[in-house]
């Protein structure tokens, strides 16, 4: 890590760390009787204590800092819109800008809308005596909704994956006009490995969201889904699951109680579909959520998994936003008509869209305010009676001196507003040695004040003993679990480089495997293969990211995960 002190690195480190955060930790148990599992845990405890005793650990004096009690607003931390690439540039001055979900404004099979928009611009269509064109911006539906609802940036038009986001934008008060209910067809679904699928069909007769939620509640199916604050498929699954418990009222006591039973046995909430697929490859999941267009383009999934559709269709509706002049509305309408041409719908089919056209939405229309309430319910109930205990392990070695450390402090100070008060937080910093800046405790106002004080007190110097920092975090968590056996432990490692002092990966790999604590690691253009290996042990994630959107990511994902 030494010598890597690029400006803004740690800002990216925290952003990506939080982006990669998956809220759950696997509950650890103790005193289970004379079993091999207990003996293994006992051996791990002895090894952990031995490694810990070889580390120079300092416990810092706690210093309270001034906290800001104003509620956090994710919109305040959104990065400049230039963070999200324009995938098709307008070719004329008379144009509309369209926010597009990523599965159709990316590259390859995910670039259908870009090809259609380019063709539209090349067609030199005249509207109101002027040549019209469109500008496409590639941005995930949940993020796009945050921009629009916060008012930070409102495009002329919006085509999310499904109608749920459009309803949320409308409920927020943004003038919203549905131009097209569908510009290309898609469906959300649960993909289940064939062996488990056959087993469940044999018991339940068929597989749908109702039988899936029943199987999960009965601990017969290990399934993961994506963050309903950010993911179209995740939000769709959340409201569909709630509807299986009470279709007349998604927020009734009956629905909430059913959701709590179901959620108690959900082992995995992922920030990204890729992370979830990686977990499935390890055998940790029997099933997970996915869009059909992605499923049909993945030979390994088609051959080994069965797709079960659910919820509202993902037909990419197109909305006009704001009080637009007639000229812009006409361009949006003309573009919608342009996408409907047979050759462009055939192009969509070639890229995996327009499958399962016979599937009809299982859900009645849902108002945007109800969707927002469902998200809040999820945040409150996702952990049930098992709150999280998290230890942040921050690199403060010499290369972090100056602006990198200043960025770390700024990001944590802003992000701490989103840490749930029912969870417990600890903080460790490391260079050549390790400092326990804040012992684990419930994140009440007092702990929050000391967390702020610890952050402000950080100073950078020395080498990089990353694995020493992880050992100390594990020891803190094990001690905490001894008196709080129902917590979900997790570690976040924030580093911009490679270990050059202290213990090695080989020395702690067995401990990570035994304790089953997810260790999320993040680096920025750094050689951190060892950290990546640690994250992969328990289906956590390692991310390399840029510096532009750290505040938004830390706010958004801590809001969801903690």
């Amino acid at each position: 890590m030494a010598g890597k002190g690029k400006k803004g690195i740690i800002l990216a480190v925290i952003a990506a760390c939080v982006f990669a955060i998956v809220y759950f930790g696997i509950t650890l148990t103790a005193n289970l009787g004379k079993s091999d599992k207990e003996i293994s845990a006992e051996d791990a405890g002895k090894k952990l204590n031995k490694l810990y005793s070889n580390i120079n650990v300092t416990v810092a004096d706690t210093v309270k800092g001034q906290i800001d009690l104003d509620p956090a607003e994710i919109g305040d931390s959104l990065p400049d819109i230039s963070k999200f690439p324009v995938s098709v540039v307008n070719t004329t001055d008379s144009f509309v800008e369209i926010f597009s979900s990523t599965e159709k404004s990316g590259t390859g099979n995910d670039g259908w809308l870009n090809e259609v928009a380019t063709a539209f611009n090349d067609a030199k269509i005249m509207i109101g005596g002027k040549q019209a064109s469109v500008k496409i911006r590639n941005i995930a539906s949940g993020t796009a909704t945050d921009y629009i609802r916060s008012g930070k940036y409102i495009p002329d038009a919006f085509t999310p994956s499904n109608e749920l986001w459009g309803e949320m934008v409308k409920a927020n008060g943004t003038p919203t006009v549905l131009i097209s209910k569908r510009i290309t067809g898609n469906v959300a679904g649960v993909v289940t490995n064939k062996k488990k699928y056959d087993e469940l069909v044999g018991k339940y007769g068929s597989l749908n969201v109702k039988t899936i939620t029943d199987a999960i509640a009965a601990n017969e199916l290990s399934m993961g889904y994506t963050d309903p604050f950010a993911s179209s498929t995740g939000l769709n699954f959340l409201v569909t699951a709630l509807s299986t418990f009470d279709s007349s009222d998604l927020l009734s006591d009956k629905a909430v109680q059913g959701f709590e039973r179901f959620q108690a046995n959900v082992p995995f909430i992922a920030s990204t579909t890729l992370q979830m697929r990686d977990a499935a490859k390890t055998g940790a999941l029997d099933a997970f959520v996915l869009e059909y267009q992605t499923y049909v383009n993945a030979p390994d999934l088609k051959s080994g998994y069965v797709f079960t559709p659910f919820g509202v269709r993902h037909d990419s509706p197109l909305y006009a936003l704001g009080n637009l002049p007639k000229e812009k509305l006409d361009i949006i309408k003309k573009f919608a008509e342009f996408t409907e041409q047979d050759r462009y719908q055939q192009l969509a089919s070639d890229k995996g869209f327009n499958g399962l056209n016979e599937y009809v939405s299982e859900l009645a229309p849902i108002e945007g305010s109800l969707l927002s309430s469902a998200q809040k319910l999820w945040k409150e109930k996702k952990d049930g009676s098992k709150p999280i205990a998290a230890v942040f392990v921050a690199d403060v070695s010499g290369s972090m001196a100056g602006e990198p450390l200043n960025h770390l402090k700024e990001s944590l100070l802003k992000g701490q507003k989103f840490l749930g008060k029912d969870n417990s937080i600890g903080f460790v910093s490391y260079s050549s040695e390790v400092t326990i800046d804040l012992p684990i405790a419930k994140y009440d106002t007092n702990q929050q004040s000391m967390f702020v004080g610890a952050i402000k007190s950080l100073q950078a110097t020395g080498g990089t003993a990353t694995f020493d920092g992880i050992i100390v975090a594990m020891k803190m968590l094990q001690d905490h679990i001894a008196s709080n056996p129902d917590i979900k432990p997790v570690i976040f490692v924030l580093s911009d480089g490679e270990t050059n002092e202290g213990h090695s990966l080989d020395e702690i790999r067995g401990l990570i495997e035994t304790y089953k604590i997810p260790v999320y690691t993040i680096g920025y253009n750094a050689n951190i293969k060892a950290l990546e290996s640690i994250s992969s042990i328990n289906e956590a994630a390692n991310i390399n990211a840029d510096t532009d959107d750290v505040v938004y990511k830390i706010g958004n994902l801590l809001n969801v995960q903690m």
Side-chain angles (χ1 to χ4, degrees), residues 279-546:
K281 289 177 182 178
T282 70
L285 297 177
D286 299 317
F288 55 96
V289 299
L290 200 67
E291 287 186 317
Y292 188 74
Q293 184 257 351
T294 303
Y295 170 78
V296 297
N297 285 317
D300 60 322
L301 293 179
K302 287 186 67 179
S303 62
Y305 289 79
V306 179
F307 186 94
T308 303
F310 70 79
V312 300
R313 290 186 59 89
H314 283 213
D315 285 341
S316 290
L318 178 62
Y319 301 91
L321 303 177
N323 298 308
L324 298 177
K326 183 178 183 301
E327 177 184 294
K328 284 185 176 287
L329 276 173
D330 288 344
I331 295 175
I332 298 171
K333 291 176 182 178
K334 181 61 70 174
F335 182 66
E337 294 173 3
F338 193 85
T339 67
E340 294 171 359
Q341 296 180 62
D342 289 344
R343 56 179 164 173
Y344 298 123
Q345 289 303 309
Q346 182 58 53
L347 176 65
S349 298
D350 293 342
K351 293 181 180 296
F353 293 99
N354 293 331
L356 301 184
N357 281 329
E358 70 281 3
Y359 174 75
V360 178
S361 174
E362 296 176 333
L363 295 176
I366 303 174
E367 292 185 357
S369 58
L370 185 58
L371 290 167
S372 295
S373 296
Q375 287 177 322
K376 293 177 182 177
L377 170 68
W378 179 84
K379 178 174 171 59
E380 293 172 359
K381 302 295 184 180
K382 62 183 175 60
D383 297 319
S385 60
K386 297 181 179 180
I388 295 168
V391 177
F392 291 88
V393 181
D395 181 348
V396 292
S397 57
S399 66
M400 306 313 301
E403 286 213 45
L405 185 57
N406 291 337
H407 288 314
L408 182 150
K409 293 179 179 181
E410 176 189 6
S411 301
L412 282 180
L413 290 172
K414 291 182 178 178
Q416 54 85 22
K417 282 190 171 186
F418 294 92
L419 296 173
K421 303 303 181 184
D422 291 332
N423 298 316
S424 297
I425 301 297
F427 188 66
V428 168
S429 59
Y430 70 90
S431 53
S432 299
E433 301 175 351
V434 180
T435 300
I436 299 176
D437 299 281
L438 186 65
I440 299 172
K442 189 171 182 180
Y443 200 66
D444 55 17
T445 302
N446 187 57
Q447 183 77 346
Q448 181 182 13
S449 176
M450 290 189 291
F451 188 49
V452 169
I455 294 167
K456 291 183 176 180
S457 299
L458 293 176
Q459 297 182 5
T461 186
T464 312
T466 301
F467 301 111
D468 287 3
I470 295 173
I471 290 168
V472 173
M474 284 195 290
K475 182 67 166 63
M476 292 169 64
L477 285 168
Q478 291 309 299
D479 291 346
H480 188 71
I481 288 169
S483 55
N484 301 274
D486 289 334
I487 62 99
K488 296 179 177 181
V490 61
I491 296 172
F492 308 132
V493 178
L494 311 136
S495 177
D496 70 344
E498 188 174 16
T499 296
N500 55 27
E501 294 188 24
H503 291 91
S504 68
L505 169 60
D506 288 342
E507 290 178 282
I508 71 168
R509 182 186 295 276
L511 292 175
I512 300 293
E513 292 173 343
T514 298
Y515 287 134
K516 303 297 184 184
I517 302 175
V519 181
Y520 299 94
T521 60
I522 179 62
Y524 179 69
N525 295 333
N527 184 11
I528 53 171
K529 294 298 183 182
L531 294 181
E532 292 175 352
S533 297
I534 288 179
S535 293
S536 67
I537 292 172
N538 293 322
E539 289 81 47
N542 168 268
I543 300 292
N544 285 324
D546 57 46

Side-chain angles (χ1 to χ4, degrees), residues 5-19:
K6 295 182 179 179
K7 177 180 179 180
I9 286 177
I10 222 42
L11 185 60
V13 167
I14 297 171
C17 171
V18 175
F19 184 73

Side-chain angles (χ1 to χ4, degrees), residues 1 41 67 200 210 325 361 397 426 526 562:
M1 185 187 75
I67 61 176
L200 294 176
K210 178 62 172 67
S361 174
S397 57
M562 300 294 292

Side-chain angles (χ1 to χ4, degrees), residues 36-330:
D36 291 340
K37 187 172 184 180
E38 180 190 25
I39 294 171
S40 175
E42 288 178 352
D43 289 344
K46 293 176 182 178
K47 183 173 183 179
L48 177 60
N49 289 334
K50 182 178 179 181
L51 292 175
Y52 183 85
S53 69
N54 292 329
I55 300 172
N56 190 348
V57 181
T58 301
V59 179
D61 293 332
T62 55
V63 178
K64 289 190 175 183
Q66 185 67 41
I67 61 176
D68 179 4
L69 296 178
D70 291 336
E73 296 290 342
I74 290 179
D76 294 342
S77 59
L78 287 164
D80 188 86
I81 194 61
S82 61
K83 158 69 183 171
F84 300 93
V86 172
S87 53
V88 176
V89 179
N90 55 292
T91 55
T92 65
D93 291 335
S94 179
F95 73 96
V96 294
E97 178 177 358
I98 304 173
F99 276 5
S100 169
S101 55
T102 55
E103 78 280 359
K104 58 182 182 285
S105 58
T107 60
N109 287 326
D110 295 334
W112 169 76
L113 190 64
N114 291 340
E115 295 187 37
V116 177
T118 299
F120 180 85
N121 291 349
D122 291 343
K124 298 181 179 179
I125 295 172
M126 303 298 292
I127 295 178
K130 300 177 183 178
Q131 184 178 325
S133 64
V134 294
K135 175 181 179 179
I136 306 296
R137 192 177 296 276
N138 178 293
I139 183 170
S141 299
T143 304
T145 300
D146 283 339
Y147 273 94
I148 296 166
R149 294 205 299 170
S150 70
K152 181 158 186 174
Y153 193 96
I154 302 177
D156 302 306
F158 179 31
T159 173
S161 299
N162 62 41
E163 66 193 50
L164 303 177
W165 302 110
E167 291 301 317
M168 292 178 72
V169 167
K170 185 191 303 182
N172 193 62
T174 302
T176 305
V177 177
L178 179 63
I179 301 298
S180 175
K181 189 173 180 62
R182 168 176 171 162
I183 62 173
T184 189
N186 206 357
V187 174
V190 175
V191 291
T192 311
N193 73 55
K194 287 184 176 180
K195 181 179 179 180
K196 178 60 68 172
Y197 178 87
D198 291 341
E199 176 185 320
L200 294 176
V201 169
K203 177 174 182 177
Y204 292 97
S206 64
L207 206 63
N208 52 45
V209 172
K210 178 62 172 67
T211 55
I212 285 171
T213 55
D214 287 346
I216 293 172
N219 207 25
E220 298 169 340
L221 177 67
S222 176
M223 195 198 94
Y225 63 97
T226 41
D227 165 12
F229 277 82
S231 164
S232 298
T233 310
L235 178 60
N236 195 354
F237 184 79
L238 170 63
V239 293
T240 304
L242 286 170
S243 73
T244 66
F245 303 118
D246 188 346
S247 59
S248 64
D249 184 357
L250 301 186
L251 303 179
S252 70
D253 290 342
K254 179 181 178 182
V256 172
Q257 291 168 7
F259 177 75
E260 287 181 308
R261 291 193 302 272
F262 150 80
Q263 186 66 25
N265 288 320
V266 172
F268 202 76
I269 302 293
S271 295
T272 67
T273 299
L274 178 61
Q275 184 184 356
M276 196 163 46
R277 285 185 62 178
D278 287 344
K281 289 177 182 178
T282 70
L285 297 177
D286 299 317
F288 55 96
V289 299
L290 200 67
E291 287 186 317
Y292 188 74
Q293 184 257 351
T294 303
Y295 170 78
V296 297
N297 285 317
D300 60 322
L301 293 179
K302 287 186 67 179
S303 62
Y305 289 79
V306 179
F307 186 94
T308 303
F310 70 79
V312 300
R313 290 186 59 89
H314 283 213
D315 285 341
S316 290
L318 178 62
Y319 301 91
L321 303 177
N323 298 308
L324 298 177
K326 183 178 183 301
E327 177 184 294
K328 284 185 176 287
L329 276 173
D330 288 344

